[in-house]
Amino acid sequence: MKLLYTVYYKLQSRCEIALRTKHSKQDLYKFYTLPDEVRSAIFELGGITRVFNEQTQIFNESSILIRNCMLELVGYLKSMTNFDRPSPRFVLYGEHGVGKSMALVYALQYAHENNYLLVHIPWVLRWFAYPKEVSHSLTKEGMVDLNIDAAMWLRHFQKQNTKWLEDPRLTTSQEYVWSPREKSEANIPLAALIEHGITRVKYASDVVDVLFTEIKKLSTEGVCRTFVCVDGYNSFFAEKTNCKPEDKSKVLPSRVTLTRSVINLVQSDWNNGAIVLALSPRANLPDRRESHLPLYMLKKAGFESIDPFVPIHVPELNDEEFHNLLNLYESKKWLQTSEGREEIAFLTKRVPQKMYEFCSFK
Amino acid sequence: MNVAKLLKFSRCSPLHFSPSYSHSSFRLQHATGTSSNPQEADKFQEDEFRVFVIPGKNSVTEKRQERRKLKFKAQPPRYLKMPVDQDWTSVWPGPRTFHPAVVPLPLRQGYDKKRVAQGKFGNAELMKVPNFLHLTPPAIKKHCDAIRKFCTPWPQGLETEMQMEKHFPITVITSDYCHSSPTIRDIKARIVTIKLKLSTLELDDHARDKFLRLVGDRYNPKTDVLTIVTDRCPMKKQNYDYCMYVLTALFHESWTFEEWEKEKSTLDMEYYEWKDHPSYQTYLKLKAYPSQDTSNIEQEIGQDPLTQKYSKAVTDLFNQGEDVYTLARYKEATLELLLGQKTS
């Protein structure tokens, strides 16, 4: 066994290729470094998990393990040739902590390199579990707005697509009336629309809705190529939220305007784009986390909202990945010894998040 | 010589005065062979050493009472006298608790870590378990011979199981009880069970669905057998009649179509039918894209192999439940549908 470890220990586990587009099967199970400029460009306002953030601070390096599911997903994205067909949907599923969000990080980076317009919702449950401000919608009867959350998301979108928003071709197609005194003219740049949403928080949810409609139109016309990415999509079909409007009425996710906008965005009525969704048992209520399979997590309604989709399973680490990760921990002096690996594998089921927590005595 | 020394030594022993003591002392003297002087021996007899009595420690009673002996001699077990060719059915004619002296078998029952398992005498474990010593093949044969005169020949054309099922689809199960008690009635004798295969009834899709909903868990889908048990009437005959009535009523009720049955929605369906669900509409829209009109597409996709494949994958996912295999087939179908990639 010891011999086996040393074999793994000697493996070249670093990948020097910077571009995600050029990664191939030979780079599998190696670590690549997420450059700081990319990190600040895409993930400054969310998208990177707590565990990975901690690790980055501790190791002073953001290394990401290249895994099969990442290459599979990016492979599908690369193989898309016919952009006249409706945007395909890919669904990542797997147990809690296996690295679904890291796969999304990888895909987002790929999309960023290939000049996609990014529509990225980092963690849907944050809207429903910790809503900042809940108010009744002015435009849609019986619906509820999450004003500050919507505005914060607009800021995230603005940050991620700084380059695209300077493009003069991205304009609104029609006039939008927010209130008797406020309206947006047709043919104003999207950047102005977003700015309106951020400054007039009251209308942020409506702006998000309008923005999605416009993005769908622009993509279909071929102005931009859009990459939609939602982490924790199954939260939209949970039985409960923590949103409490003034009248203390019960709010299901379906009553929130953002839910309707996002579900509308992931329909197959637009082309020239790709949709990647991640499902997580953590995004469900605690009584519904027995299985990590898509139909169980989404239930029938959720499944039908995105059917047909390509399910991509994110498994636990395999032998090589497992030893590579522990090798990294050892080289960073995070793990003192190379013994006891079988025990770690047994106790953590090779789930990377659990491994990290186990090795840090949490 | 050193006899005194030896005696001194023997004084230390826990033995107190007893006849055996004097005997042993004599032997000691003899063994040393130094003195055969009777005077000296007498001196020893007189000079008995004192007994150190510890109150409470030394027992006052001299001898344990001997056990009372049995007045009569026990007979050896019966099985030792049994001839090898005896008629066992008359030795053990009916059901009875195990008796070690009667059964001529070297049985053992139980578990001991260090020793061999306990024998049959005084073994409660052997008495606890029910035995079938009264149901030996010769006993059954004898029994059959005795009741043969009451039997009629087996009807022709009912030789195989298939033929029996065809001509007699319903199995009626009742029980009779015989006790040696003041009453010959047993309350359990009233229960009637009937069993039949559902495939023997003529039912269409609707009737079958309704029938199954009416009978609930009385139907076993694995064996296709319906079981109805009646015990509400006091007599067996009444229960049997009631059973037949229930079966008839169930059959005719499932064939009737009530007005309210039209309200059955897709959620009430017993299985997933792809074309009744939103998934089908989304599929049509996807196929028709970019046009919004789905009416033409509907006819086109009828015989399309990809549609068939996809429809089967979705249906299986819902009907069989999701697992690695159904998900893999679904993935295969969607990959071909969305990206035009053929995996197999």
Side-chain angles (χ1 to χ4, degrees):
Chain A
M1 215 54 208
K2 191 120 187 176
L3 185 76
L4 194 67
Y5 294 154
T6 45
V7 170
Y8 278 122
Y9 201 86
K10 280 175 189 165
L11 275 176
Q12 176 59 42
S13 62
R14 291 283 162 171
C15 171
E16 305 298 337
I17 304 168
L19 283 179
R20 303 295 80 68
T21 324
K22 287 182 182 161
H23 280 177
S24 67
K25 287 264 175 196
Q26 279 156 10
D27 305 316
L28 258 182
Y29 316 138
K30 292 179 183 172
F31 287 97
Y32 79 91
T33 310
L34 183 68
D36 280 345
E37 58 270 20
V38 177
R39 202 180 161 121
S40 61
I42 322 179
F43 302 113
E44 199 184 356
L45 298 176
I48 285 187
T49 57
R50 173 187 59 82
V51 169
F52 189 69
N53 256 334
E54 255 181 51
Q55 268 190 41
T56 313
Q57 280 178 6
I58 293 163
F59 296 162
N60 202 16
E61 175 189 358
S62 35
S63 11
I64 295 178
L65 185 65
I66 304 172
R67 301 186 60 193
N68 219 344
C69 52
M70 298 174 176
L71 290 192
E72 186 188 346
L73 175 60
V74 169
Y76 291 144
L77 295 176
K78 275 189 215 167
S79 72
M80 276 164 51
T81 44
N82 187 359
F83 283 97
D84 298 334
R85 299 295 307 146
S87 314
R89 279 176 292 255
F90 306 96
V91 171
L92 296 168
Y93 67 97
E95 277 173 33
H96 171 61
V98 285
K100 299 177 292 292
S101 300
M102 292 320 289
L104 286 188
V105 166
Y106 189 87
L108 273 167
Q109 212 185 330
Y110 166 83
H112 180 69
E113 280 163 14
N114 288 279
N115 215 14
Y116 278 83
L117 180 75
L118 302 182
V119 180
H120 173 219
I121 298 165
W123 184 234
V124 176
L125 192 62
R126 195 184 295 161
W127 292 345
F128 301 136
Y130 315 106
K132 298 278 187 305
E133 184 185 299
V134 186
S135 68
H136 288 286
S137 172
L138 299 171
T139 45
K140 293 171 189 92
E141 191 77 25
M143 301 286 275
V144 160
D145 279 347
L146 305 177
N147 302 327
I148 293 177
D149 293 290
M152 275 164 70
W153 183 81
L154 283 174
R155 174 76 79 198
H156 180 62
F157 178 82
Q158 201 184 32
K159 180 87 186 151
Q160 278 189 331
N161 301 293
T162 326
K163 229 190 250 173
W164 265 107
L165 289 176
E166 287 162 8
D167 195 320
R169 291 176 299 166
L170 294 190
T171 52
T172 54
S173 59
Q174 63 182 83
E175 185 186 272
Y176 294 104
V177 180
W178 310 113
S179 71
R181 267 175 287 167
E182 280 175 291
K183 65 173 180 178
S184 299
E185 302 287 339
N187 291 324
I188 60 162
L190 281 189
L193 186 75
I194 291 163
E195 203 52 53
H196 174 74
I198 293 168
T199 47
R200 299 285 291 134
V201 173
K202 200 175 165 188
Y203 306 116
S205 292
D206 291 329
V207 169
V208 171
D209 195 38
V210 165
L211 179 68
F212 287 167
T213 326
E214 290 296 335
I215 287 172
K216 273 160 82 167
K217 256 182 215 166
L218 289 167
S219 284
T220 310
E221 285 161 13
V223 178
C224 59
R225 191 162 286 175
T226 309
F227 184 80
V228 179
C229 180
V230 183
D231 197 355
Y233 180 76
N234 46 335
S235 293
F236 288 127
F237 303 94
E239 288 95 353
K240 208 184 110 188
T241 63
N242 287 347
C243 307
K244 284 198 188 91
E246 286 146 12
D247 62 351
K248 302 272 196 276
S249 59
K250 196 184 169 190
V251 177
L252 288 178
S254 55
R255 255 189 82 192
V256 179
T257 37
L258 286 170
T259 307
R260 191 185 279 188
S261 314
V262 177
I263 292 181
N264 192 27
L265 178 68
V266 298
Q267 296 309 306
S268 38
D269 52 356
W270 56 284
N271 59 14
N272 206 6
I275 303 164
V276 180
L277 311 169
L279 310 178
S280 172
R282 266 295 170 99
N284 273 355
L285 292 178
D287 59 348
R288 207 178 163 75
R289 289 178 187 171
E290 277 126 50
S291 165
H292 63 273
L293 298 179
L295 187 55
Y296 175 83
M297 279 199 284
L298 287 164
K299 291 185 270 183
K300 191 165 176 287
F303 180 85
E304 275 161 357
S305 74
I306 51 170
D307 180 54
F309 60 84
V310 179
I312 299 171
H313 183 223
V314 183
E316 289 88 30
L317 300 185
N318 64 16
D319 262 354
E320 210 163 326
E321 291 166 339
F322 174 75
H323 287 290
N324 272 357
L325 183 56
L326 289 184
N327 288 347
L328 177 83
Y329 284 176
E330 264 177 46
S331 65
K332 295 283 176 189
K333 307 283 183 226
W334 189 239
L335 203 59
Q336 301 285 324
T337 166
S338 58
E339 282 162 17
R341 290 196 172 186
E342 259 177 89
E343 188 184 330
I344 296 177
F346 179 75
L347 287 171
T348 60
K349 282 164 66 187
R350 302 187 179 214
V351 173
Q353 180 168 339
K354 279 188 191 165
M355 278 167 66
Y356 170 73
E357 279 164 5
F358 184 78
C359 293
S360 46
F361 300 105
K362 278 191 172 177
Chain B
M1 225 211 71
N2 49 4
V3 176
K5 218 178 196 177
L6 273 167
L7 283 170
K8 224 183 220 171
F9 174 76
S10 70
R11 210 180 271 185
C12 307
S13 77
L15 285 172
H16 9 102
F17 177 73
S18 69
S20 64
Y21 167 68
S22 60
H23 177 70
S24 69
S25 71
F26 176 75
R27 281 182 63 186
L28 280 167
Q29 281 178 355
H30 188 74
T32 48
T34 48
S35 143
S36 55
N37 193 348
Q39 275 185 359
E40 226 169 317
D42 282 353
K43 195 184 169 192
F44 270 113
Q45 294 271 323
E46 284 165 24
D47 186 42
E48 279 178 3
F49 54 87
R50 289 169 298 159
V51 177
F52 182 61
V53 179
I54 304 168
K57 178 80 180 175
N58 303 49
S59 62
V60 182
T61 48
E62 287 194 350
K63 256 190 181 181
R64 262 181 90 183
Q65 262 195 335
E66 270 190 25
R67 274 193 182 180
R68 267 176 65 194
K69 277 179 184 166
L70 287 172
K71 281 176 185 165
F72 55 88
K73 211 180 165 190
Q75 290 293 310
R78 196 177 139 199
Y79 74 88
L80 294 174
K81 289 181 182 171
M82 286 177 175
V84 180
D85 56 345
Q86 68 170 342
D87 178 22
W88 175 251
T89 52
S90 48
V91 176
W92 199 283
R96 190 192 167 188
T97 309
F98 180 82
H99 194 293
V102 181
V103 182
L105 302 171
L107 296 177
R108 288 182 177 277
Q109 170 77 47
Y111 173 69
D112 195 320
K113 262 186 186 172
K114 291 177 182 169
R115 285 164 288 269
V116 72
Q118 206 192 337
K120 61 181 175 176
F121 283 93
N123 193 337
E125 294 304 319
L126 273 174
M127 294 162 80
K128 277 192 231 168
V129 290
N131 65 63
F132 292 94
L133 294 166
H134 62 294
L135 286 178
T136 52
I140 295 170
K141 194 162 182 288
K142 231 176 172 180
H143 194 79
C144 289
D145 287 341
I147 61 170
R148 177 157 293 145
K149 58 184 176 231
F150 303 115
C151 298
T152 52
W154 188 257
Q156 283 188 339
L158 284 184
E159 283 79 18
T160 63
E161 202 72 27
M162 292 268 282
Q163 285 169 326
M164 284 184 238
E165 262 176 30
K166 190 189 165 197
H167 296 291
F168 297 96
I170 301 183
T171 312
V172 183
I173 302 165
T174 59
S175 303
D176 292 318
Y177 296 88
C178 188
H179 297 298
S180 60
S181 62
T183 172
I184 57 163
R185 317 267 173 232
D186 190 301
I187 198 166
K188 287 181 280 183
R190 77 187 192 288
I191 301 169
V192 178
T193 307
I194 62 164
K195 287 187 174 194
L196 81 156
K197 287 208 165 184
L198 204 61
S199 52
T200 53
L201 294 180
E202 251 183 58
L203 297 168
D204 67 354
D205 279 352
H206 160 259
R208 190 182 151 84
D209 174 37
K210 198 169 170 187
F211 194 95
L212 291 185
R213 277 163 201 269
L214 286 170
V215 297
D217 61 356
R218 292 174 187 84
Y219 173 69
N220 183 352
K222 279 181 192 160
T223 52
D224 189 41
V225 173
L226 171 75
T227 311
I228 299 175
V229 182
T230 51
D231 59 353
R232 56 174 58 187
C233 305
M235 307 302 289
K236 189 184 284 179
K237 172 78 169 59
Q238 292 168 330
N239 274 323
Y240 174 77
D241 288 346
Y242 179 61
C243 235
M244 289 301 139
Y245 161 72
V246 166
L247 187 60
T248 320
L250 274 172
F251 179 75
H252 290 289
E253 191 53 50
S254 13
W255 272 100
T256 53
F257 190 89
E258 304 285 348
E259 195 56 33
W260 47 261
E261 284 180 44
K262 286 178 190 163
E263 290 166 18
K264 185 179 173 186
S265 67
T266 48
L267 282 177
D268 301 325
M269 286 300 286
E270 55 280 13
Y271 50 84
Y272 184 90
E273 180 66 49
W274 185 50
K275 295 205 172 177
D276 299 340
H277 287 267
S279 175
Y280 180 59
Q281 296 302 325
T282 4
Y283 182 78
L284 288 183
K285 273 183 206 159
L286 189 83
K287 276 281 177 184
Y289 189 84
S291 85
Q292 300 287 325
D293 183 28
T294 55
S295 53
N296 297 332
I297 288 292
E298 212 162 340
Q299 292 147 7
E300 274 177 37
I301 62 168
Q303 295 304 317
D304 182 23
L306 176 57
T307 310
Q308 305 265 333
K309 192 176 175 183
Y310 176 69
S311 135
K312 191 170 179 311
V314 177
T315 316
D316 282 353
L317 199 61
F318 278 97
N319 284 342
Q320 292 178 16
E322 61 177 344
D323 50 34
V324 180
Y325 302 103
T326 45
L327 270 175
R329 264 179 282 157
Y330 179 74
K331 185 176 183 179
E332 216 172 90
T334 46
L335 266 182
E336 200 176 334
L337 174 69
L338 295 172
L339 300 177
Q341 286 186 1
K342 286 195 179 179
T343 44
S344 58

